[in-house]
Structures are given as structure tokens and as C-alpha cells.
Amino acid sequence: MLWPGTLIGAGAGFAIASIPGAMLGALLGQALDRRLHLQSWAHLWEKFGGRSVLRNDELLFVLLGRLAKSDGRVVDGHIQQARQEMRSLEMTESAQRRAIAAFNRGKSGHDRLRGYLRRLSAQPHAAEGVLRACWRMVWADGRAGSSERELIAQWGKWLGWTQQQVQALASDYEPKRPLASGAVTYQDALRLLGVSATSEPAQIKRAYRRLLSRHHPDKIAGSGATALQVREATDKTRELHTAYTLIRERRDFR
């Protein structure tokens, strides 16, 4: 890790008073590094009014790291979700290394993100992609805490989104509660399997098996899904089974 203040202090001290000056300058520079949380020349440039040093993909992973750490502890679901985002973006090996560094940087919570997000607001498609990725990270551990919701609401505001618009995105990623067997109507079951009341039993069986194969949790887990996605697949499988059982009993076939 590079400490720019320490190097500058040591260099300036040496120029003024040789080795003793270098030692004193390094100590003072180190105090500055720690106070301002400086870890690179880019951080130093940014702290003193330089241009943004984060690329859009790095900014995304800083945000994801901040969310993952916002409740105090990063869990495996957060890590898996970050990896899933890298795969979705088809990142090269070097880009993945930058993303991991940005994710860890985000966990520290030291970055001032308002300027970055204000600039990103000029790219509506990219801004929406960032917010969607943030909601996916929020639900990676199966719950959305108040601190996470507040962060996304604030970031959305800086991106030029209303609170209602930001919240509307959340519903796309919030885990759906499985239907209780007693709450499923016959029409619900037909819609879930994509069949009609006049469909032949063989057609209903094929629809059920096709959907079961598509949503089976073992298959989802094998594709590198997050723990949350596996849980959602498990709930979906349970709903399919409930729906199929209801239709089979109503139509009296095996």
C-alpha cells in the first residue's frame, strides 16, 4: 500500500534537513495519510480537488462494497453476488482485480460518492444499471436493512431519481414469498404452470416437469447463483409442486 503523504513528507524533510528532516517529515506525512485516509496518489489528487479517479465499473463495486458492509458484516452471499456481477459484465482478469480492489475500498466507507454519482446521472442507462446492481447486492443476504435502503435512496437522489423510482426497482429483486398451499386457487395454479382448464393431463405434466427442471435449486446452484437465488429457486419449486398437486387432484389424474 502506498502512503503519498509519508513520501512527500520524507522528501521535503530530506531537502530541508537531510536525514533527520526526512524522518520528521515522514512522521508528519504519515499522520496526514492516516487522518485523510490516503492510500494512493489518486486518493491524494482526489482529496485536494482533482478529477474523479474512479471509472464507472470501479464506482459500481465501491457502491457494492459499501452496501455489503453497511450492516457491519460482509457475508458469503455478498461475495457471491459481487462475483456474479463480474460475470455478468464479462470482466477481464485485470478488470476483476480492479473490481475487487474497488469493492474492498467501498467497505472502508471513506469515499465521497456524491460527485461521482452526479456525473453518472448524465448517463441514464448506466445510472439505472448501477441502482439495479445495488438492489441485487442488498438482497444477497436475504434481507434489506434500513441502512442499506437509506444508502440507495441517497445515491438515487444524487443520480437524479425520485424516491418512488428508486423503490420501484426494489420490487424486481425482493424475494417473493412462496404461496401457502391453502392460499393457492385453481386459477392461480393454472397460471403458474402456464396451462388452461382444458389442457390434457399429459400437457400439464410436461409443463410441470419443464418448469421444475428450469427452476430446480440444484441446477441453479450449479450455475454459480447466489445463496439468495438458490433460496428463491427452492421457493419457486415448492410453489410449482403445490400448483401441480392442486390441479392433479381437481382433474383426478396421476
Side-chain angles (χ1 to χ4, degrees), residues 192-204:
L192 189 61
L193 295 188
V195 296
S196 69
T198 58
S199 296
E200 294 294 325
Q203 183 181 356
I204 296 171

Side-chain angles (χ1 to χ4, degrees), residues 88-105:
S88 298
L89 293 170
E90 299 181 344
M91 287 184 154
T92 63
E93 187 174 342
S94 60
Q96 288 183 36
R97 287 196 295 269
R98 289 196 304 270
I100 291 170
F103 185 84
N104 291 329
R105 175 174 169 177

Side-chain angles (χ1 to χ4, degrees), residues 65-210:
R66 179 77 64 86
L67 284 171
K69 187 68 173 179
S70 63
D71 277 345
R73 187 168 67 94
V74 178
V75 300
D76 184 63
H78 294 134
I79 301 299
Q80 293 302 321
Q81 185 59 45
R83 290 174 179 165
Q84 181 63 41
E85 296 296 339
M86 292 181 203
R87 287 192 289 269
S88 298
L89 293 170
E90 299 181 344
M91 287 184 154
T92 63
E93 187 174 342
S94 60
Q96 288 183 36
R97 287 196 295 269
R98 289 196 304 270
I100 291 170
F103 185 84
N104 291 329
R105 175 174 169 177
K107 289 190 296 184
S108 70
H110 297 318
D111 285 280
R112 296 179 179 178
L113 301 171
R114 182 172 184 170
Y116 299 131
L117 294 172
R118 290 285 193 190
R119 283 185 286 274
L120 189 63
S121 65
Q123 304 173 51
H125 182 71
E128 179 177 346
V130 163
L131 289 173
R132 287 186 176 278
C134 285
W135 279 119
R136 289 193 291 268
M137 178 58 72
V138 165
W139 286 110
D141 62 352
R143 57 181 295 274
S146 59
S147 59
E148 295 166 313
R149 291 181 180 277
E150 288 170 4
L151 280 174
I152 295 186
Q154 182 63 74
W155 296 342
K157 181 179 180 181
W158 291 339
L159 286 168
W161 286 53
T162 66
Q163 186 173 352
Q164 290 73 23
Q165 289 173 319
V166 173
Q167 189 58 41
L169 291 182
S171 61
D172 290 343
Y173 304 101
E174 183 174 355
K176 304 296 187 296
R177 294 182 179 179
L179 295 173
S181 58
V184 180
T185 67
Y186 184 56
Q187 292 301 320
D188 289 335
L190 292 172
R191 281 194 293 271
L192 189 61
L193 295 188
V195 296
S196 69
T198 58
S199 296
E200 294 294 325
Q203 183 181 356
I204 296 171
K205 289 179 182 179
R206 285 195 299 271
Y208 169 63
R209 289 168 181 166
R210 183 177 65 253

